[in-house]
Short mmCIF file of all heavy atoms in Angstrom, two decimals:
data_model
loop_
_atom_site.label_atom_id
_atom_site.label_comp_id
_atom_site.label_asym_id
_atom_site.label_seq_id
_atom_site.Cartn_x
_atom_site.Cartn_y
_atom_site.Cartn_z
N GLY A 1 0.84 -1.18 0.00
CA GLY A 1 0.00 0.00 0.00
C GLY A 1 0.88 1.23 0.00
O GLY A 1 2.02 1.19 0.48
N GLY A 2 0.37 2.35 -0.52
CA GLY A 2 1.18 3.56 -0.58
C GLY A 2 2.45 3.32 -1.37
O GLY A 2 2.42 2.85 -2.52
N ARG A 3 3.60 3.59 -0.71
CA ARG A 3 4.89 3.34 -1.38
C ARG A 3 5.42 1.92 -1.12
O ARG A 3 6.50 1.57 -1.59
CB ARG A 3 5.92 4.38 -0.92
CG ARG A 3 5.60 5.80 -1.40
CD ARG A 3 6.77 6.74 -1.21
NE ARG A 3 7.05 7.05 0.18
CZ ARG A 3 6.49 8.04 0.87
NH1 ARG A 3 5.58 8.82 0.29
NH2 ARG A 3 6.81 8.26 2.13
N GLY A 4 4.68 1.14 -0.36
CA GLY A 4 5.07 -0.25 -0.13
C GLY A 4 4.58 -1.12 -1.27
O GLY A 4 3.42 -1.56 -1.29
N VAL A 5 5.42 -1.36 -2.26
CA VAL A 5 5.00 -2.06 -3.47
C VAL A 5 5.66 -3.43 -3.54
O VAL A 5 6.73 -3.66 -2.96
CB VAL A 5 5.36 -1.22 -4.72
CG1 VAL A 5 4.59 0.08 -4.73
CG2 VAL A 5 6.86 -0.96 -4.79
N PRO A 6 5.04 -4.37 -4.26
CA PRO A 6 5.58 -5.73 -4.33
C PRO A 6 7.02 -5.81 -4.82
O PRO A 6 7.77 -6.72 -4.44
CB PRO A 6 4.61 -6.43 -5.28
CG PRO A 6 3.32 -5.69 -5.13
CD PRO A 6 3.71 -4.27 -4.90
N ASP A 7 7.43 -4.88 -5.68
CA ASP A 7 8.78 -4.93 -6.24
C ASP A 7 9.86 -4.79 -5.16
O ASP A 7 11.01 -5.20 -5.38
CB ASP A 7 8.98 -3.82 -7.28
CG ASP A 7 8.21 -4.08 -8.56
OD1 ASP A 7 7.72 -5.22 -8.74
OD2 ASP A 7 8.09 -3.15 -9.39
N ALA A 8 9.51 -4.21 -4.01
CA ALA A 8 10.48 -4.04 -2.92
C ALA A 8 10.53 -5.25 -2.01
O ALA A 8 11.32 -5.28 -1.06
CB ALA A 8 10.14 -2.79 -2.11
N ASP A 9 9.69 -6.24 -2.28
CA ASP A 9 9.56 -7.38 -1.38
C ASP A 9 10.64 -8.42 -1.65
O ASP A 9 11.37 -8.36 -2.64
CB ASP A 9 8.17 -7.99 -1.52
CG ASP A 9 7.67 -8.61 -0.23
OD1 ASP A 9 8.46 -8.70 0.73
OD2 ASP A 9 6.50 -9.01 -0.19
N ILE A 10 10.72 -9.39 -0.74
CA ILE A 10 11.68 -10.49 -0.87
C ILE A 10 10.96 -11.74 -1.35
O ILE A 10 9.74 -11.84 -1.30
CB ILE A 10 12.40 -10.76 0.47
CG1 ILE A 10 11.38 -11.00 1.59
CG2 ILE A 10 13.31 -9.60 0.82
CD1 ILE A 10 12.01 -11.27 2.95
N THR A 11 11.72 -12.72 -1.81
CA THR A 11 11.14 -13.96 -2.29
C THR A 11 10.65 -14.81 -1.12
O THR A 11 11.09 -14.63 0.02
CB THR A 11 12.17 -14.77 -3.08
OG1 THR A 11 13.21 -15.19 -2.17
CG2 THR A 11 12.78 -13.96 -4.21
N PRO A 12 9.74 -15.75 -1.38
CA PRO A 12 9.30 -16.65 -0.30
C PRO A 12 10.47 -17.40 0.34
O PRO A 12 10.47 -17.61 1.56
CB PRO A 12 8.34 -17.60 -1.01
CG PRO A 12 7.79 -16.80 -2.15
CD PRO A 12 8.94 -15.95 -2.61
N GLU A 13 11.45 -17.78 -0.44
CA GLU A 13 12.59 -18.51 0.11
C GLU A 13 13.40 -17.62 1.05
O GLU A 13 13.80 -18.05 2.15
CB GLU A 13 13.49 -19.01 -1.02
CG GLU A 13 12.86 -20.06 -1.93
CD GLU A 13 11.87 -19.47 -2.93
OE1 GLU A 13 11.90 -18.23 -3.16
OE2 GLU A 13 11.06 -20.24 -3.48
N THR A 14 13.63 -16.37 0.65
CA THR A 14 14.35 -15.43 1.51
C THR A 14 13.54 -15.12 2.76
O THR A 14 14.09 -14.98 3.85
CB THR A 14 14.66 -14.14 0.74
OG1 THR A 14 15.43 -14.45 -0.42
CG2 THR A 14 15.44 -13.16 1.60
N ARG A 15 12.22 -15.04 2.62
CA ARG A 15 11.36 -14.75 3.77
C ARG A 15 11.42 -15.88 4.79
O ARG A 15 11.54 -15.65 5.99
CB ARG A 15 9.92 -14.55 3.31
CG ARG A 15 8.96 -14.14 4.42
CD ARG A 15 7.58 -13.82 3.86
NE ARG A 15 7.68 -12.93 2.72
CZ ARG A 15 7.91 -11.63 2.80
NH1 ARG A 15 8.05 -11.06 3.98
NH2 ARG A 15 8.00 -10.89 1.72
N ARG A 16 11.34 -17.10 4.32
CA ARG A 16 11.41 -18.24 5.23
C ARG A 16 12.75 -18.24 5.97
O ARG A 16 12.81 -18.47 7.18
CB ARG A 16 11.23 -19.54 4.46
CG ARG A 16 11.15 -20.78 5.36
CD ARG A 16 11.01 -22.05 4.52
NE ARG A 16 10.89 -23.22 5.36
CZ ARG A 16 9.74 -23.88 5.59
NH1 ARG A 16 8.61 -23.48 5.04
NH2 ARG A 16 9.73 -24.94 6.38
N ASP A 17 13.82 -17.97 5.23
CA ASP A 17 15.14 -17.91 5.85
C ASP A 17 15.20 -16.78 6.88
O ASP A 17 15.77 -16.96 7.97
CB ASP A 17 16.20 -17.71 4.78
CG ASP A 17 17.59 -17.55 5.36
OD1 ASP A 17 18.13 -18.55 5.88
OD2 ASP A 17 18.14 -16.43 5.29
N ALA A 18 14.60 -15.63 6.57
CA ALA A 18 14.63 -14.50 7.50
C ALA A 18 13.88 -14.83 8.79
O ALA A 18 14.34 -14.51 9.90
CB ALA A 18 14.01 -13.26 6.84
N VAL A 19 12.72 -15.47 8.66
CA VAL A 19 11.95 -15.84 9.85
C VAL A 19 12.74 -16.84 10.69
O VAL A 19 12.81 -16.72 11.92
CB VAL A 19 10.57 -16.41 9.45
CG1 VAL A 19 9.85 -16.99 10.66
CG2 VAL A 19 9.72 -15.31 8.80
N GLU A 20 13.35 -17.82 10.03
CA GLU A 20 14.14 -18.80 10.79
C GLU A 20 15.32 -18.12 11.50
O GLU A 20 15.64 -18.46 12.64
CB GLU A 20 14.64 -19.91 9.87
CG GLU A 20 15.42 -20.98 10.62
CD GLU A 20 15.41 -22.33 9.93
OE1 GLU A 20 14.89 -22.42 8.80
OE2 GLU A 20 15.91 -23.29 10.52
N ARG A 21 15.95 -17.17 10.84
CA ARG A 21 17.05 -16.43 11.48
C ARG A 21 16.58 -15.71 12.73
O ARG A 21 17.25 -15.71 13.77
CB ARG A 21 17.66 -15.43 10.49
CG ARG A 21 18.54 -16.06 9.42
CD ARG A 21 18.77 -15.11 8.26
NE ARG A 21 19.18 -13.78 8.70
CZ ARG A 21 19.09 -12.69 7.93
NH1 ARG A 21 18.58 -12.77 6.71
NH2 ARG A 21 19.49 -11.52 8.40
N LEU A 22 15.40 -15.09 12.65
CA LEU A 22 14.88 -14.37 13.81
C LEU A 22 14.51 -15.32 14.95
O LEU A 22 14.75 -15.02 16.12
CB LEU A 22 13.67 -13.53 13.41
CG LEU A 22 13.96 -12.33 12.51
CD1 LEU A 22 12.67 -11.71 12.00
CD2 LEU A 22 14.79 -11.29 13.26
N VAL A 23 13.93 -16.46 14.60
CA VAL A 23 13.59 -17.43 15.64
C VAL A 23 14.87 -17.98 16.28
O VAL A 23 14.95 -18.12 17.52
CB VAL A 23 12.73 -18.56 15.05
CG1 VAL A 23 12.47 -19.63 16.10
CG2 VAL A 23 11.40 -18.01 14.52
N ASP A 24 15.85 -18.28 15.46
CA ASP A 24 17.13 -18.77 16.00
C ASP A 24 17.80 -17.72 16.88
O ASP A 24 18.38 -18.04 17.94
CB ASP A 24 18.07 -19.15 14.86
CG ASP A 24 17.69 -20.46 14.18
OD1 ASP A 24 16.91 -21.23 14.77
OD2 ASP A 24 18.16 -20.70 13.05
N LEU A 25 17.73 -16.45 16.45
CA LEU A 25 18.33 -15.37 17.24
C LEU A 25 17.64 -15.24 18.59
O LEU A 25 18.30 -15.09 19.63
CB LEU A 25 18.23 -14.05 16.46
CG LEU A 25 18.83 -12.82 17.15
CD1 LEU A 25 20.34 -12.95 17.25
CD2 LEU A 25 18.46 -11.55 16.38
N THR A 26 16.32 -15.32 18.59
CA THR A 26 15.58 -15.27 19.84
C THR A 26 15.98 -16.42 20.75
O THR A 26 16.17 -16.25 21.96
CB THR A 26 14.06 -15.33 19.56
OG1 THR A 26 13.71 -14.30 18.63
CG2 THR A 26 13.26 -15.14 20.84
N ARG A 27 16.12 -17.59 20.16
CA ARG A 27 16.53 -18.77 20.94
C ARG A 27 17.90 -18.56 21.57
O ARG A 27 18.12 -18.89 22.75
CB ARG A 27 16.53 -19.99 20.03
CG ARG A 27 16.84 -21.31 20.73
CD ARG A 27 16.74 -22.46 19.75
NE ARG A 27 16.92 -23.75 20.40
CZ ARG A 27 16.84 -24.91 19.76
NH1 ARG A 27 16.56 -24.95 18.47
NH2 ARG A 27 17.01 -26.04 20.42
N GLU A 28 18.84 -18.01 20.79
CA GLU A 28 20.18 -17.76 21.31
C GLU A 28 20.15 -16.80 22.50
O GLU A 28 20.82 -17.03 23.52
CB GLU A 28 21.07 -17.20 20.20
CG GLU A 28 21.39 -18.19 19.10
CD GLU A 28 22.06 -17.53 17.91
OE1 GLU A 28 22.44 -16.34 18.03
OE2 GLU A 28 22.19 -18.18 16.85
N TYR A 29 19.38 -15.75 22.38
CA TYR A 29 19.29 -14.78 23.48
C TYR A 29 18.69 -15.43 24.73
O TYR A 29 19.19 -15.23 25.85
CB TYR A 29 18.44 -13.58 23.06
CG TYR A 29 19.26 -12.44 22.48
CD1 TYR A 29 19.52 -12.37 21.13
CD2 TYR A 29 19.80 -11.45 23.30
CE1 TYR A 29 20.28 -11.33 20.59
CE2 TYR A 29 20.55 -10.40 22.78
CZ TYR A 29 20.79 -10.35 21.42
OH TYR A 29 21.54 -9.33 20.90
N HIS A 30 17.62 -16.19 24.57
CA HIS A 30 16.98 -16.81 25.72
C HIS A 30 17.89 -17.87 26.36
O HIS A 30 17.93 -17.98 27.59
CB HIS A 30 15.63 -17.40 25.32
CG HIS A 30 14.55 -16.39 25.23
ND1 HIS A 30 13.58 -16.22 26.20
CD2 HIS A 30 14.28 -15.44 24.30
CE1 HIS A 30 12.77 -15.24 25.87
NE2 HIS A 30 13.17 -14.75 24.71
N GLU A 31 18.59 -18.62 25.54
CA GLU A 31 19.50 -19.62 26.11
C GLU A 31 20.67 -18.97 26.83
O GLU A 31 21.27 -19.58 27.73
CB GLU A 31 19.99 -20.55 25.00
CG GLU A 31 18.89 -21.49 24.50
CD GLU A 31 19.35 -22.39 23.37
OE1 GLU A 31 20.46 -22.15 22.83
OE2 GLU A 31 18.61 -23.32 23.01
N ASP A 32 20.98 -17.71 26.47
CA ASP A 32 22.03 -16.96 27.17
C ASP A 32 21.50 -16.19 28.37
O ASP A 32 22.23 -15.43 29.01
CB ASP A 32 22.71 -15.99 26.21
CG ASP A 32 23.59 -16.70 25.18
OD1 ASP A 32 23.95 -17.87 25.43
OD2 ASP A 32 23.90 -16.09 24.15
N GLY A 33 20.20 -16.36 28.66
CA GLY A 33 19.61 -15.71 29.83
C GLY A 33 19.11 -14.30 29.59
O GLY A 33 18.76 -13.60 30.55
N GLU A 34 19.04 -13.86 28.33
CA GLU A 34 18.54 -12.52 28.01
C GLU A 34 17.14 -12.67 27.41
O GLU A 34 16.98 -13.16 26.30
CB GLU A 34 19.46 -11.80 27.04
CG GLU A 34 20.84 -11.52 27.61
CD GLU A 34 21.64 -10.61 26.69
OE1 GLU A 34 21.19 -9.48 26.43
OE2 GLU A 34 22.71 -11.05 26.23
N GLU A 35 16.13 -12.24 28.15
CA GLU A 35 14.75 -12.48 27.76
C GLU A 35 14.22 -11.35 26.88
O GLU A 35 13.40 -10.53 27.30
CB GLU A 35 13.88 -12.66 29.00
CG GLU A 35 14.20 -13.94 29.77
CD GLU A 35 13.24 -14.21 30.90
OE1 GLU A 35 12.62 -13.25 31.41
OE2 GLU A 35 13.08 -15.38 31.26
N ILE A 36 14.67 -11.32 25.64
CA ILE A 36 14.12 -10.35 24.71
C ILE A 36 12.76 -10.84 24.21
O ILE A 36 12.50 -12.05 24.17
CB ILE A 36 15.06 -10.08 23.52
CG1 ILE A 36 15.24 -11.35 22.67
CG2 ILE A 36 16.41 -9.55 24.01
CD1 ILE A 36 15.96 -11.07 21.35
N GLU A 37 11.90 -9.88 23.87
CA GLU A 37 10.59 -10.19 23.30
C GLU A 37 10.67 -9.95 21.80
O GLU A 37 10.94 -8.83 21.36
CB GLU A 37 9.51 -9.33 23.94
CG GLU A 37 8.11 -9.67 23.46
CD GLU A 37 7.04 -8.76 24.04
OE1 GLU A 37 7.39 -7.77 24.72
OE2 GLU A 37 5.85 -9.01 23.79
N THR A 38 10.44 -10.98 21.01
CA THR A 38 10.49 -10.88 19.55
C THR A 38 9.12 -11.22 18.99
O THR A 38 8.53 -12.24 19.34
CB THR A 38 11.53 -11.86 18.98
OG1 THR A 38 12.77 -11.68 19.64
CG2 THR A 38 11.71 -11.65 17.50
N LEU A 39 8.62 -10.33 18.11
CA LEU A 39 7.31 -10.53 17.52
C LEU A 39 7.38 -10.44 16.01
O LEU A 39 8.15 -9.64 15.45
CB LEU A 39 6.30 -9.50 18.05
CG LEU A 39 6.10 -9.51 19.57
CD1 LEU A 39 6.82 -8.34 20.21
CD2 LEU A 39 4.62 -9.48 19.91
N LEU A 40 6.57 -11.25 15.33
CA LEU A 40 6.43 -11.23 13.89
C LEU A 40 5.07 -10.65 13.55
O LEU A 40 4.06 -11.03 14.16
CB LEU A 40 6.55 -12.64 13.32
CG LEU A 40 7.90 -13.34 13.55
CD1 LEU A 40 7.80 -14.82 13.24
CD2 LEU A 40 8.98 -12.69 12.70
N VAL A 41 5.02 -9.73 12.59
CA VAL A 41 3.80 -8.96 12.33
C VAL A 41 3.51 -8.92 10.84
O VAL A 41 4.40 -8.67 10.03
CB VAL A 41 3.93 -7.51 12.86
CG1 VAL A 41 2.58 -6.79 12.78
CG2 VAL A 41 4.48 -7.48 14.27
N GLY A 42 2.25 -9.19 10.49
CA GLY A 42 1.80 -8.92 9.14
C GLY A 42 1.77 -10.09 8.18
O GLY A 42 1.43 -9.92 7.00
N ASN A 43 2.09 -11.31 8.65
CA ASN A 43 2.02 -12.48 7.77
C ASN A 43 1.78 -13.72 8.64
O ASN A 43 2.71 -14.24 9.25
CB ASN A 43 3.30 -12.64 6.96
CG ASN A 43 3.22 -13.81 5.98
OD1 ASN A 43 2.23 -14.55 5.95
ND2 ASN A 43 4.26 -14.00 5.19
N TYR A 44 0.53 -14.19 8.66
CA TYR A 44 0.20 -15.31 9.55
C TYR A 44 0.63 -16.66 9.01
O TYR A 44 0.39 -17.68 9.65
CB TYR A 44 -1.28 -15.27 9.90
CG TYR A 44 -1.49 -14.53 11.21
CD1 TYR A 44 -1.46 -13.15 11.25
CD2 TYR A 44 -1.64 -15.23 12.40
CE1 TYR A 44 -1.61 -12.48 12.45
CE2 TYR A 44 -1.79 -14.56 13.60
CZ TYR A 44 -1.77 -13.19 13.63
OH TYR A 44 -1.91 -12.53 14.82
N CYS A 45 1.30 -16.68 7.87
CA CYS A 45 2.06 -17.87 7.49
C CYS A 45 3.09 -18.18 8.58
O CYS A 45 3.44 -19.34 8.82
CB CYS A 45 2.74 -17.62 6.16
SG CYS A 45 3.75 -18.95 5.55
N ASP A 46 3.55 -17.13 9.28
CA ASP A 46 4.50 -17.31 10.37
C ASP A 46 3.95 -18.20 11.47
O ASP A 46 4.71 -18.91 12.15
CB ASP A 46 4.87 -15.96 10.99
CG ASP A 46 5.61 -15.05 10.02
OD1 ASP A 46 6.19 -15.55 9.04
OD2 ASP A 46 5.60 -13.82 10.25
N ALA A 47 2.64 -18.17 11.69
CA ALA A 47 2.03 -19.02 12.72
C ALA A 47 2.27 -20.49 12.39
O ALA A 47 2.67 -21.28 13.26
CB ALA A 47 0.53 -18.73 12.82
N ALA A 48 2.01 -20.84 11.14
CA ALA A 48 2.25 -22.23 10.72
C ALA A 48 3.72 -22.59 10.84
O ALA A 48 4.09 -23.68 11.31
CB ALA A 48 1.78 -22.41 9.28
#
């Protein structure tokens, strides 16, 4: 919407990798005893 156009988006493969990176990063922080709150917004494919 607005200036957010599909051409600026990433591929599904890159998106899946990005989500996994964020989940892994959150895991690393929690395993190190740092309780950061990480949230994913705007794509409920992330729920699955």
